[in-house]
Every structure is written in C-alpha cells, then in structure tokens.
Amino acid sequence: MKTGLIATFLALAAGASPAQDMADVADMAAGQIVRHSEHVGEMITTMRPRAETRQGALRDTLRFEPWQMLDDLFRDDIVLLMRHGPTDWSSDDPRGVLPTDCARQRLMTPDGRDRMRDLGILLAGNGIVPGHILVSEWCRNQQTLEALVEGIGLVDPGYTARAEIETDPAANLLLSLEGAATVTELRRRISDWEGSEDGPLLIISHFTNIAELTEFHVYEGEILVLDPDRHNRVLGYLRLRSAAPDIGHFDTTVGPR
C-alpha cells in the first residue's frame, strides 16, 4: 500500500471556518486542500499554461466527504466506483437497445463531457490517478472514459501510454440487453483488487449497478471510494462541486444532498 503524494498536498487550511464561502476555494493555490466543514473537504489544481490554453479556465473544484477519508484517497489499493458522466435526459434508452448502439441510447451532453474532463484534471492534479480502469460497454460510459482520460492527460501527458483500460460487460447496465445479470462478477473484481504501483482501480458503471453493490444512490459523475480490505466498505465519495441530482433517479426539487 502507498500513501505517496499526500504530503505534497497537505498545505491545509484546516482552520477554515465551516461557513467559508466557496468563492474563497477558487482562490486557493494549486494542490491545496481545504477543510470546508467538519466533514467536507475541497481540492483544486492549476493546469500548465499550455494545457490551460487548450482547455480553458477550470470551472470546478473536487469535493470529498468525509474529511477523515483524506489519507485513504492516496492509497493504491482502493477502488473508485464511478457512475458515468452527465447525460441528456430529454429521451431515455428504448427497450432492447444494444450497449454499443450509440444512435439509439442516452448520451452525454457537451457540458457533461467538459465536466468529466475537468474531473480528470482535478483528480490527476491532486495525485489521484487510476492505474487500471474497467468500463461498461455503454456509449455514455465510453464517452465518460474518453473525457476523463483526456483531462488526466492534460496534467500527466504520459498517462494514456501506461494506463490499463479494459471494457468489461460485467460493468454493463444491470438487467439490460447484453447487460450484467447480477453484480456478482463486479463485486468479485472489487474484492480481488490488491492495489498497483500505478494507482487504484477505477470502475465506470451505472446507477443501478452501484446501488445494488453499495445501496448508495449516486449522481452522474460521482465516485464512491471502496476499500476491498474492509469487505468493500464505502469510505466516502468524490464528486465535482457542481454535481447535482438528475431527473432520472432523483427528486430534483429537493436539490443536492
């Protein structure tokens, strides 16, 4: 197990008031971590000038909860269980659509792609870089992967050459056509993860799969942090500050939790 890089980022504003306005977070230096409240932390990163010219200004910060999970985020033996990024809910998947039939299924929005690219930048900029990625065949998951890897590559140009990326039907939408019948295989993959010197395991799956595995209901683009050494216990979450509930799985009148 490794906890490397954490010392680099622990220029902590641990004494920050819980009521600190989030605008203050945007003024933080690169790699700084701030304790926003008793349980919530925020991360930010600054891109290299050439990457910033290509990407534009980074619009978001990376929220994690609980704060007490901070050390665990830099371990390579955790599993990051992620739902695909924000999609267009003006239409839903027709019954029987194939996972690879991108013309007939719900896809990511342009804004969703941008946000997943931002997420990749924020993860890599704060030293959280997956060494192995397992992704569903569904088009919105593949789009999430592309945007996320692009963002990581803006911070770490050599990432795509060394990352191990695997498309696995075990991560496909539960009970859909050519989908996973159960989460048994996905649970096994999580339980068997022992870590890698290249970084943790990232799984990009779906709302229903994640709910079945963890009993947590996650936003689009949200990541749960799991610990295989503790019987796949959910340690907490990572998500963009801008993340919000979608109309497909949440009562959007209530607002973010």
Side-chain angles (χ1 to χ4, degrees):
M1 181 194 311
K2 68 178 181 182
T3 57
L5 295 177
I6 190 168
T8 306
F9 302 106
L10 290 180
L12 297 174
S17 166
Q20 177 184 0
D21 189 273
M22 288 311 300
D24 294 340
V25 177
D27 294 330
M28 292 190 302
Q32 195 172 15
I33 301 172
V34 63
R35 189 168 189 168
H36 177 59
S37 68
E38 181 180 358
H39 298 293
V40 179
E42 293 268 352
M43 298 179 180
I44 195 170
T45 191
T46 299
M47 296 175 293
R48 299 169 184 169
R50 183 170 60 181
E52 186 166 351
T53 300
R54 178 182 173 188
Q55 160 71 16
L58 193 63
R59 304 172 300 172
D60 232 322
T61 59
L62 185 61
R63 172 175 291 179
F64 64 94
E65 186 178 0
W67 172 263
Q68 292 75 13
M69 179 181 66
L70 180 59
D71 286 1
D72 292 309
L73 290 176
F74 299 92
R75 292 166 44 192
D76 59 30
D77 61 346
I78 57 171
V79 174
L80 306 174
L81 181 60
M82 177 182 180
R83 184 183 174 195
H84 59 74
T87 55
D88 179 4
W89 281 94
S90 64
S91 61
D92 206 350
D93 305 318
R95 181 182 295 274
V97 66
L98 290 168
T100 55
D101 185 357
C102 298
R104 299 181 61 233
Q105 62 181 260
R106 198 175 78 250
L107 301 174
M108 285 182 64
T109 61
D111 181 68
R113 287 175 178 264
D114 289 344
R115 292 188 187 281
M116 292 302 94
R117 190 181 304 112
D118 286 352
L119 177 60
I121 292 168
L122 286 159
L123 286 170
N126 285 283
I128 304 170
V129 180
H132 189 103
I133 301 177
L134 187 153
V135 60
S136 163
E137 292 179 300
W138 283 73
C139 300
R140 50 186 173 265
N141 296 67
Q142 295 290 326
Q143 291 174 328
T144 301
L145 171 69
E146 292 170 5
L148 194 69
V149 168
E150 181 182 351
I152 294 173
L154 290 172
V155 177
D156 181 355
Y159 179 70
T160 54
R162 70 174 188 276
E164 297 182 16
I165 298 174
E166 175 185 359
T167 296
D168 190 339
N172 282 2
L173 184 59
L174 195 63
L175 300 179
S176 63
L177 184 65
E178 297 190 12
T182 70
V183 293
T184 300
E185 176 60 17
L186 205 54
R187 182 177 286 113
R188 184 193 67 78
R189 295 293 299 265
I190 294 169
S191 298
D192 289 350
W193 180 253
E194 296 181 345
S196 164
E197 62 181 11
D198 294 322
L201 171 64
L202 169 66
I203 299 174
I204 306 174
S205 191
H206 301 264
F207 178 93
T208 50
N209 303 56
I210 295 169
E212 183 71 15
L213 279 165
T214 68
E215 299 185 359
F216 279 74
H217 292 178
V218 296
Y219 299 164
E220 292 179 309
E222 183 172 359
I223 300 171
L224 297 181
V225 181
L226 276 58
D227 188 347
D229 284 345
R230 292 184 240 179
H231 306 289
N232 298 342
R233 176 183 174 185
V234 177
L235 302 181
Y237 73 79
L238 285 158
R239 68 174 180 230
L240 294 175
R241 180 168 53 91
S242 62
D246 58 84
I247 62 173
H249 296 286
F250 295 91
D251 181 354
T252 57
T253 62
V254 175
R257 69 183 187 274

